[in-house]
Amino acid sequence: MLAKLTVWYNTKCPVCNAGIDWQRSRLLRAVRAGDVEFRDINLEPAALTRFGADLEAVRRRLHGVDAEGRLHVGADCAIEIWRRTPGDRWLGGLLGLPVIHPVARFTYDRFAGWLYGWNRRKGHW
């Protein structure tokens, strides 16, 4: 069993919010058991300052902290979520492979940057 994961995300981004709602429904058993927790960074803007992550960093990319205190950012956080999701564990394993992982990170970062800019232009925050 994987360690508990607490994920901070941006509820003011409609795409992010919808994605987390969908993922939460797939992870219902893990969420109810307390193995995965989703938290709104807008309600706790200083939650990750010990890692040097401010509100804007979390608005740009998912951030998760596991029970051992390890920080997972962006694609790495998404991979950790998928590793805990029934039916998606294979995806987390695949995207975590050494040959694919850098591509997953690059792709996530490009999309996250575009999405962050889109949200700013739309005035979501």
Side-chain angles (χ1 to χ4, degrees):
M1 174 134 182
L2 294 169
K4 177 183 176 176
L5 182 68
T6 303
V7 177
W8 280 270
Y9 72 104
N10 180 17
T11 58
K12 292 184 178 185
C13 167
V15 175
C16 306
N17 205 31
I20 292 297
D21 283 347
W22 179 79
Q23 195 66 37
R24 184 184 292 125
S25 70
R26 302 202 62 220
L27 276 164
L28 195 53
R29 189 177 320 146
V31 169
R32 284 185 180 155
D35 295 331
V36 178
E37 180 181 6
F38 294 100
R39 298 175 73 163
D40 180 3
I41 195 62
N42 297 293
L43 300 177
E44 303 175 74
L48 299 170
T49 55
R50 70 179 188 243
F51 295 103
D54 63 7
L55 176 62
E56 292 306 308
V58 181
R59 285 179 170 171
R60 186 177 295 271
R61 291 181 187 86
L62 285 173
H63 282 62
V65 178
D66 64 26
E68 282 77 40
R70 291 181 300 242
L71 180 67
H72 306 275
V73 178
D76 295 337
C77 185
I79 288 168
E80 289 300 315
I81 293 169
W82 286 321
R83 286 180 172 161
R84 290 163 173 79
T85 306
D88 287 346
R89 289 185 179 107
W90 68 271
L91 182 57
L94 177 68
L95 295 177
L97 290 173
V99 174
I100 298 173
H101 192 223
V103 175
R105 279 180 160 179
F106 177 83
T107 303
Y108 180 100
D109 287 347
R110 297 300 80 70
F111 180 73
W114 174 84
L115 187 59
Y116 178 83
W118 175 80
N119 276 295
R120 299 277 299 184
R121 287 189 300 280
K122 291 289 189 181
H124 293 150
W125 62 82

